Amino acid sequence: MIMLNSSDNDIKQLKSKIAAKVRHPYLVRFIPEPHIDDDKLVILSSIMNHTTLPVEKKEQYIITTMLVQIALDTHDLVTLTDDEDDKETVRHRQLTVLAGDYFSGLYYYLLSQLNDIPMIHTLAGAIKEINELKMELYYKDVESFQEFLDGVKKIESLLIQRVGAYVQKTAINDMAGEWLLAKKLMEEKRSYQEGNVSPLIEALVKRPGLFGNHGQVIGSLEQMVQSHVNHLEAAVAQLPIHFNWLKSYVHAAIHHQFNHRQIAEEG
């Protein structure tokens, strides 16, 4: 059992346990192993570390919440294409949907072992709300670009914030929202530069009056990233002193994930 003292080693052990849970011998033959978001894992660990829950329950909450996140992320990877005659594409899509459903089932199984109905309701409610937010963001009209950004921020952080509220630890909610939004925008920028168009980017460029055209995507994303990194630094400064390990981790993440990339690109 991991003692959850919020150290690099604890995070590595948790990540290893999550990876063991999601590794399926059939699925890995055809689709990539699911990505485990280190930063979301760190946030969850920091939340649980400041509760009085038993160590076993803390670990179970972290693992099950991360399984939900992986399931949501996996379903987002399902490709949308008109090429229904390409058998490989169709099979890959079907297996990706299957994988997302499989990861979803895992968290219900783990929580059933704890007999924790309220936590199941918390996670299920968050899943429903996130899926509704995605539908509104990608397919319905939003009135302003700020409203669009607020939607992205909620999608990225709502699951963690609901779990934090459930265990009555919400001190890092604002920081988590800014961090995960800035990170998402950076990922979208990098993906777009590599020639990929995600549902989020597609939703933006379909609304030229809201965001701009394709030629403005990179510049706009850079501006948004820098703005929210500034917000993130301010939010980190407001964290209570007992989150010192998390503050150090976030400062390092800001440098490695944002600042040094900007310097490299400008050079």
Side-chain angles (χ1 to χ4, degrees):
M1 190 64 60
I2 300 170
M3 294 308 294
L4 297 182
N5 292 318
S6 283
S7 70
D8 292 338
N9 188 54
D10 292 334
I11 298 302
K12 288 178 181 177
Q13 290 185 58
L14 279 167
K15 190 173 181 178
S16 178
K17 288 194 172 191
I18 295 165
K21 294 285 186 186
V22 299
R23 190 171 294 117
H24 190 286
Y26 178 76
L27 291 173
V28 296
R29 291 168 53 195
F30 302 102
I31 61 175
E33 290 198 33
H35 171 67
I36 301 171
D37 191 314
D38 289 354
D39 297 335
K40 289 182 179 179
L41 180 55
V42 164
I43 295 170
L44 280 169
S45 297
S46 297
I47 290 171
M48 293 302 165
N49 211 29
H50 292 88
T51 70
T52 58
L53 294 169
V55 172
E56 180 180 2
K57 182 162 282 195
K58 291 180 184 180
E59 181 179 309
Q60 203 79 336
Y61 279 0
I62 293 169
I63 291 174
T64 51
T65 303
M66 288 303 296
L67 287 174
V68 171
Q69 186 64 63
I70 290 168
L72 290 166
D73 293 343
T74 300
H75 280 142
D76 283 347
L77 296 175
V78 177
T79 57
L80 298 177
T81 176
D82 295 329
D83 191 4
E84 297 294 341
D85 294 329
D86 185 342
K87 292 182 179 180
E88 285 301 313
T89 299
V90 172
R91 182 172 71 166
H92 185 275
R93 183 192 308 162
Q94 291 171 338
L95 286 170
T96 304
V97 173
L98 176 63
D101 292 341
Y102 171 69
F103 303 143
S104 297
L106 278 177
Y107 90 82
Y108 280 115
Y109 169 71
L110 291 173
L111 281 176
S112 69
Q113 293 180 313
L114 279 179
N115 192 29
D116 201 326
I117 301 301
M119 184 58 166
I120 292 176
H121 286 165
T122 296
L123 293 174
I127 292 170
K128 178 177 180 291
E129 192 170 349
I130 289 169
N131 285 330
E132 289 173 349
L133 284 167
K134 287 179 180 178
M135 292 296 292
E136 291 178 4
L137 195 69
Y138 298 151
Y139 302 112
K140 296 182 180 180
D141 290 333
V142 291
E143 294 183 359
S144 68
F145 186 58
Q146 187 58 52
E147 184 182 347
F148 189 93
L149 280 181
D150 290 343
V152 176
K153 185 176 181 179
K154 285 181 181 179
I155 289 169
E156 290 300 306
S157 59
L158 188 140
L159 179 63
I160 288 174
Q161 291 178 344
R162 289 289 183 270
V163 171
Y166 177 74
V167 297
Q168 300 181 340
K169 296 294 175 181
T170 59
I172 65 175
N173 276 3
D174 289 343
M175 185 281 299
E178 292 296 341
W179 184 8
L180 297 176
L181 174 59
K183 179 180 174 181
K184 179 66 173 178
L185 294 173
M186 177 62 79
E187 290 171 350
E188 292 293 329
K189 173 191 167 187
R190 184 173 64 251
S191 178
Y192 186 79
Q193 287 176 315
E194 293 171 354
N196 303 314
V197 179
S198 70
L200 188 148
I201 294 293
E202 186 176 11
L204 280 174
V205 297
K206 281 182 177 178
R207 302 174 170 97
L210 191 68
F211 178 73
N213 56 38
H214 276 281
Q216 298 172 300
V217 169
I218 297 300
S220 297
L221 285 173
E222 286 176 349
Q223 291 177 5
M224 287 185 285
V225 168
Q226 190 54 55
S227 173
H228 286 282
V229 168
N230 293 338
H231 294 164
L232 171 59
E233 289 174 333
V236 172
Q238 298 299 317
L239 287 177
I241 192 170
H242 53 273
F243 284 106
N244 276 346
W245 183 87
L246 179 62
K247 293 171 79 168
S248 297
Y249 182 97
V250 177
H251 282 304
I254 290 172
H255 173 72
H256 291 294
Q257 295 183 28
F258 304 108
N259 294 345
H260 92 281
R261 285 179 183 170
Q262 288 184 332
I263 292 170
E265 288 165 4
E266 290 169 1

PDB file of all heavy atoms in Angstrom, residues 122-142:
ATOM      1  N   THR A 122     -20.963  10.524  -7.416  1.00  0.00           N
ATOM      2  CA  THR A 122     -20.144  11.707  -7.697  1.00  0.00           C
ATOM      3  C   THR A 122     -19.462  11.578  -9.050  1.00  0.00           C
ATOM      4  O   THR A 122     -19.507  12.499  -9.877  1.00  0.00           O
ATOM      5  CB  THR A 122     -19.087  11.893  -6.590  1.00  0.00           C
ATOM      6  OG1 THR A 122     -19.741  12.153  -5.345  1.00  0.00           O
ATOM      7  CG2 THR A 122     -18.159  13.059  -6.925  1.00  0.00           C
ATOM      8  N   LEU A 123     -18.845  10.429  -9.299  1.00  0.00           N
ATOM      9  CA  LEU A 123     -18.131  10.224 -10.559  1.00  0.00           C
ATOM     10  C   LEU A 123     -19.101  10.135 -11.735  1.00  0.00           C
ATOM     11  O   LEU A 123     -18.851  10.709 -12.802  1.00  0.00           O
ATOM     12  CB  LEU A 123     -17.275   8.964 -10.474  1.00  0.00           C
ATOM     13  CG  LEU A 123     -16.102   9.026  -9.489  1.00  0.00           C
ATOM     14  CD1 LEU A 123     -15.421   7.668  -9.379  1.00  0.00           C
ATOM     15  CD2 LEU A 123     -15.085  10.081  -9.902  1.00  0.00           C
ATOM     16  N   ALA A 124     -20.196   9.425 -11.549  1.00  0.00           N
ATOM     17  CA  ALA A 124     -21.174   9.283 -12.631  1.00  0.00           C
ATOM     18  C   ALA A 124     -21.779  10.640 -12.996  1.00  0.00           C
ATOM     19  O   ALA A 124     -21.985  10.954 -14.171  1.00  0.00           O
ATOM     20  CB  ALA A 124     -22.272   8.302 -12.219  1.00  0.00           C
ATOM     21  N   GLY A 125     -22.055  11.463 -11.987  1.00  0.00           N
ATOM     22  CA  GLY A 125     -22.584  12.795 -12.240  1.00  0.00           C
ATOM     23  C   GLY A 125     -21.591  13.659 -12.997  1.00  0.00           C
ATOM     24  O   GLY A 125     -21.966  14.420 -13.897  1.00  0.00           O
ATOM     25  N   ALA A 126     -20.304  13.539 -12.640  1.00  0.00           N
ATOM     26  CA  ALA A 126     -19.267  14.300 -13.326  1.00  0.00           C
ATOM     27  C   ALA A 126     -19.153  13.867 -14.785  1.00  0.00           C
ATOM     28  O   ALA A 126     -19.013  14.716 -15.685  1.00  0.00           O
ATOM     29  CB  ALA A 126     -17.926  14.127 -12.615  1.00  0.00           C
ATOM     30  N   ILE A 127     -19.214  12.559 -15.035  1.00  0.00           N
ATOM     31  CA  ILE A 127     -19.147  12.050 -16.410  1.00  0.00           C
ATOM     32  C   ILE A 127     -20.291  12.619 -17.245  1.00  0.00           C
ATOM     33  O   ILE A 127     -20.092  13.089 -18.370  1.00  0.00           O
ATOM     34  CB  ILE A 127     -19.199  10.507 -16.425  1.00  0.00           C
ATOM     35  CG1 ILE A 127     -17.929   9.928 -15.817  1.00  0.00           C
ATOM     36  CG2 ILE A 127     -19.387   9.978 -17.845  1.00  0.00           C
ATOM     37  CD1 ILE A 127     -17.999   8.431 -15.572  1.00  0.00           C
ATOM     38  N   LYS A 128     -21.494  12.585 -16.694  1.00  0.00           N
ATOM     39  CA  LYS A 128     -22.671  13.106 -17.407  1.00  0.00           C
ATOM     40  C   LYS A 128     -22.493  14.595 -17.728  1.00  0.00           C
ATOM     41  O   LYS A 128     -22.743  15.030 -18.858  1.00  0.00           O
ATOM     42  CB  LYS A 128     -23.919  12.895 -16.547  1.00  0.00           C
ATOM     43  CG  LYS A 128     -25.215  13.432 -17.159  1.00  0.00           C
ATOM     44  CD  LYS A 128     -26.392  13.099 -16.260  1.00  0.00           C
ATOM     45  CE  LYS A 128     -27.704  13.620 -16.840  1.00  0.00           C
ATOM     46  NZ  LYS A 128     -27.776  15.106 -16.816  1.00  0.00           N
ATOM     47  N   GLU A 129     -22.031  15.350 -16.742  1.00  0.00           N
ATOM     48  CA  GLU A 129     -21.877  16.790 -16.943  1.00  0.00           C
ATOM     49  C   GLU A 129     -20.778  17.099 -17.955  1.00  0.00           C
ATOM     50  O   GLU A 129     -20.933  17.999 -18.798  1.00  0.00           O
ATOM     51  CB  GLU A 129     -21.555  17.465 -15.600  1.00  0.00           C
ATOM     52  CG  GLU A 129     -21.655  18.979 -15.655  1.00  0.00           C
ATOM     53  CD  GLU A 129     -21.572  19.626 -14.286  1.00  0.00           C
ATOM     54  OE1 GLU A 129     -21.645  18.902 -13.275  1.00  0.00           O
ATOM     55  OE2 GLU A 129     -21.409  20.860 -14.237  1.00  0.00           O
ATOM     56  N   ILE A 130     -19.676  16.359 -17.910  1.00  0.00           N
ATOM     57  CA  ILE A 130     -18.582  16.569 -18.859  1.00  0.00           C
ATOM     58  C   ILE A 130     -19.038  16.275 -20.280  1.00  0.00           C
ATOM     59  O   ILE A 130     -18.747  17.031 -21.217  1.00  0.00           O
ATOM     60  CB  ILE A 130     -17.364  15.703 -18.479  1.00  0.00           C
ATOM     61  CG1 ILE A 130     -16.699  16.254 -17.213  1.00  0.00           C
ATOM     62  CG2 ILE A 130     -16.349  15.652 -19.622  1.00  0.00           C
ATOM     63  CD1 ILE A 130     -15.670  15.334 -16.599  1.00  0.00           C
ATOM     64  N   ASN A 131     -19.757  15.181 -20.458  1.00  0.00           N
ATOM     65  CA  ASN A 131     -20.241  14.840 -21.803  1.00  0.00           C
ATOM     66  C   ASN A 131     -21.221  15.891 -22.332  1.00  0.00           C
ATOM     67  O   ASN A 131     -21.213  16.219 -23.523  1.00  0.00           O
ATOM     68  CB  ASN A 131     -20.878  13.454 -21.794  1.00  0.00           C
ATOM     69  CG  ASN A 131     -19.845  12.341 -21.718  1.00  0.00           C
ATOM     70  OD1 ASN A 131     -18.720  12.498 -22.204  1.00  0.00           O
ATOM     71  ND2 ASN A 131     -20.215  11.219 -21.117  1.00  0.00           N
ATOM     72  N   GLU A 132     -22.059  16.423 -21.449  1.00  0.00           N
ATOM     73  CA  GLU A 132     -22.977  17.479 -21.856  1.00  0.00           C
ATOM     74  C   GLU A 132     -22.212  18.746 -22.241  1.00  0.00           C
ATOM     75  O   GLU A 132     -22.551  19.424 -23.222  1.00  0.00           O
ATOM     76  CB  GLU A 132     -23.963  17.785 -20.724  1.00  0.00           C
ATOM     77  CG  GLU A 132     -24.987  16.673 -20.499  1.00  0.00           C
ATOM     78  CD  GLU A 132     -25.844  16.906 -19.263  1.00  0.00           C
ATOM     79  OE1 GLU A 132     -25.510  17.820 -18.473  1.00  0.00           O
ATOM     80  OE2 GLU A 132     -26.840  16.177 -19.091  1.00  0.00           O
ATOM     81  N   LEU A 133     -21.167  19.068 -21.480  1.00  0.00           N
ATOM     82  CA  LEU A 133     -20.351  20.234 -21.789  1.00  0.00           C
ATOM     83  C   LEU A 133     -19.662  20.093 -23.142  1.00  0.00           C
ATOM     84  O   LEU A 133     -19.564  21.051 -23.910  1.00  0.00           O
ATOM     85  CB  LEU A 133     -19.291  20.440 -20.693  1.00  0.00           C
ATOM     86  CG  LEU A 133     -19.784  21.038 -19.372  1.00  0.00           C
ATOM     87  CD1 LEU A 133     -18.725  20.883 -18.290  1.00  0.00           C
ATOM     88  CD2 LEU A 133     -20.138  22.517 -19.552  1.00  0.00           C
ATOM     89  N   LYS A 134     -19.189  18.887 -23.444  1.00  0.00           N
ATOM     90  CA  LYS A 134     -18.539  18.652 -24.737  1.00  0.00           C
ATOM     91  C   LYS A 134     -19.523  18.859 -25.884  1.00  0.00           C
ATOM     92  O   LYS A 134     -19.177  19.453 -26.917  1.00  0.00           O
ATOM     93  CB  LYS A 134     -17.964  17.235 -24.777  1.00  0.00           C
ATOM     94  CG  LYS A 134     -16.717  17.047 -23.923  1.00  0.00           C
ATOM     95  CD  LYS A 134     -16.226  15.611 -23.995  1.00  0.00           C
ATOM     96  CE  LYS A 134     -14.981  15.417 -23.150  1.00  0.00           C
ATOM     97  NZ  LYS A 134     -14.510  14.009 -23.153  1.00  0.00           N
ATOM     98  N   MET A 135     -20.731  18.372 -25.709  1.00  0.00           N
ATOM     99  CA  MET A 135     -21.739  18.545 -26.760  1.00  0.00           C
ATOM    100  C   MET A 135     -22.028  20.021 -26.993  1.00  0.00           C
ATOM    101  O   MET A 135     -22.130  20.486 -28.131  1.00  0.00           O
ATOM    102  CB  MET A 135     -23.023  17.800 -26.377  1.00  0.00           C
ATOM    103  CG  MET A 135     -22.889  16.284 -26.362  1.00  0.00           C
ATOM    104  SD  MET A 135     -22.531  15.613 -28.007  1.00  0.00           S
ATOM    105  CE  MET A 135     -24.070  15.963 -28.847  1.00  0.00           C
ATOM    106  N   GLU A 136     -22.175  20.787 -25.913  1.00  0.00           N
ATOM    107  CA  GLU A 136     -22.447  22.219 -26.037  1.00  0.00           C
ATOM    108  C   GLU A 136     -21.272  22.946 -26.683  1.00  0.00           C
ATOM    109  O   GLU A 136     -21.445  23.814 -27.540  1.00  0.00           O
ATOM    110  CB  GLU A 136     -22.728  22.817 -24.657  1.00  0.00           C
ATOM    111  CG  GLU A 136     -24.048  22.346 -24.043  1.00  0.00           C
ATOM    112  CD  GLU A 136     -24.273  22.917 -22.661  1.00  0.00           C
ATOM    113  OE1 GLU A 136     -23.433  23.738 -22.219  1.00  0.00           O
ATOM    114  OE2 GLU A 136     -25.267  22.553 -22.021  1.00  0.00           O
ATOM    115  N   LEU A 137     -20.062  22.569 -26.294  1.00  0.00           N
ATOM    116  CA  LEU A 137     -18.874  23.258 -26.781  1.00  0.00           C
ATOM    117  C   LEU A 137     -18.633  23.008 -28.264  1.00  0.00           C
ATOM    118  O   LEU A 137     -18.289  23.913 -29.022  1.00  0.00           O
ATOM    119  CB  LEU A 137     -17.654  22.802 -25.972  1.00  0.00           C
ATOM    120  CG  LEU A 137     -16.394  23.664 -26.092  1.00  0.00           C
ATOM    121  CD1 LEU A 137     -16.606  25.013 -25.428  1.00  0.00           C
ATOM    122  CD2 LEU A 137     -15.204  22.950 -25.459  1.00  0.00           C
ATOM    123  N   TYR A 138     -18.807  21.753 -28.675  1.00  0.00           N
ATOM    124  CA  TYR A 138     -18.445  21.378 -30.038  1.00  0.00           C
ATOM    125  C   TYR A 138     -19.576  21.573 -31.047  1.00  0.00           C
ATOM    126  O   TYR A 138     -19.311  21.770 -32.230  1.00  0.00           O
ATOM    127  CB  TYR A 138     -17.980  19.918 -30.072  1.00  0.00           C
ATOM    128  CG  TYR A 138     -16.749  19.641 -29.236  1.00  0.00           C
ATOM    129  CD1 TYR A 138     -16.549  18.391 -28.669  1.00  0.00           C
ATOM    130  CD2 TYR A 138     -15.787  20.626 -29.020  1.00  0.00           C
ATOM    131  CE1 TYR A 138     -15.413  18.135 -27.900  1.00  0.00           C
ATOM    132  CE2 TYR A 138     -14.659  20.377 -28.252  1.00  0.00           C
ATOM    133  CZ  TYR A 138     -14.473  19.133 -27.694  1.00  0.00           C
ATOM    134  OH  TYR A 138     -13.358  18.873 -26.943  1.00  0.00           O
ATOM    135  N   TYR A 139     -20.824  21.511 -30.588  1.00  0.00           N
ATOM    136  CA  TYR A 139     -21.921  21.467 -31.551  1.00  0.00           C
ATOM    137  C   TYR A 139     -22.959  22.574 -31.403  1.00  0.00           C
ATOM    138  O   TYR A 139     -23.812  22.734 -32.265  1.00  0.00           O
ATOM    139  CB  TYR A 139     -22.624  20.107 -31.483  1.00  0.00           C
ATOM    140  CG  TYR A 139     -21.676  18.957 -31.745  1.00  0.00           C
ATOM    141  CD1 TYR A 139     -21.337  18.076 -30.733  1.00  0.00           C
ATOM    142  CD2 TYR A 139     -21.113  18.770 -33.006  1.00  0.00           C
ATOM    143  CE1 TYR A 139     -20.450  17.024 -30.967  1.00  0.00           C
ATOM    144  CE2 TYR A 139     -20.237  17.722 -33.250  1.00  0.00           C
ATOM    145  CZ  TYR A 139     -19.907  16.856 -32.227  1.00  0.00           C
ATOM    146  OH  TYR A 139     -19.033  15.825 -32.459  1.00  0.00           O
ATOM    147  N   LYS A 140     -22.910  23.318 -30.303  1.00  0.00           N
ATOM    148  CA  LYS A 140     -23.880  24.393 -30.115  1.00  0.00           C
ATOM    149  C   LYS A 140     -23.179  25.746 -30.146  1.00  0.00           C
ATOM    150  O   LYS A 140     -21.959  25.836 -29.994  1.00  0.00           O
ATOM    151  CB  LYS A 140     -24.633  24.208 -28.794  1.00  0.00           C
ATOM    152  CG  LYS A 140     -25.485  22.948 -28.756  1.00  0.00           C
ATOM    153  CD  LYS A 140     -26.242  22.844 -27.435  1.00  0.00           C
ATOM    154  CE  LYS A 140     -27.107  21.583 -27.385  1.00  0.00           C
ATOM    155  NZ  LYS A 140     -27.844  21.464 -26.108  1.00  0.00           N
ATOM    156  N   ASP A 141     -23.953  26.797 -30.333  1.00  0.00           N
ATOM    157  CA  ASP A 141     -23.386  28.137 -30.378  1.00  0.00           C
ATOM    158  C   ASP A 141     -23.019  28.615 -28.979  1.00  0.00           C
ATOM    159  O   ASP A 141     -23.749  28.393 -28.013  1.00  0.00           O
ATOM    160  CB  ASP A 141     -24.383  29.125 -30.981  1.00  0.00           C
ATOM    161  CG  ASP A 141     -24.577  28.890 -32.471  1.00  0.00           C
ATOM    162  OD1 ASP A 141     -23.641  28.372 -33.106  1.00  0.00           O
ATOM    163  OD2 ASP A 141     -25.661  29.224 -32.983  1.00  0.00           O
ATOM    164  N   VAL A 142     -21.854  29.261 -28.880  1.00  0.00           N
ATOM    165  CA  VAL A 142     -21.480  29.955 -27.648  1.00  0.00           C
ATOM    166  C   VAL A 142     -21.384  31.432 -27.984  1.00  0.00           C
ATOM    167  O   VAL A 142     -21.051  31.816 -29.103  1.00  0.00           O
ATOM    168  CB  VAL A 142     -20.141  29.438 -27.084  1.00  0.00           C
ATOM    169  CG1 VAL A 142     -20.288  28.032 -26.558  1.00  0.00           C
ATOM    170  CG2 VAL A 142     -19.036  29.492 -28.135  1.00  0.00           C
TER     171      VAL A 142
END
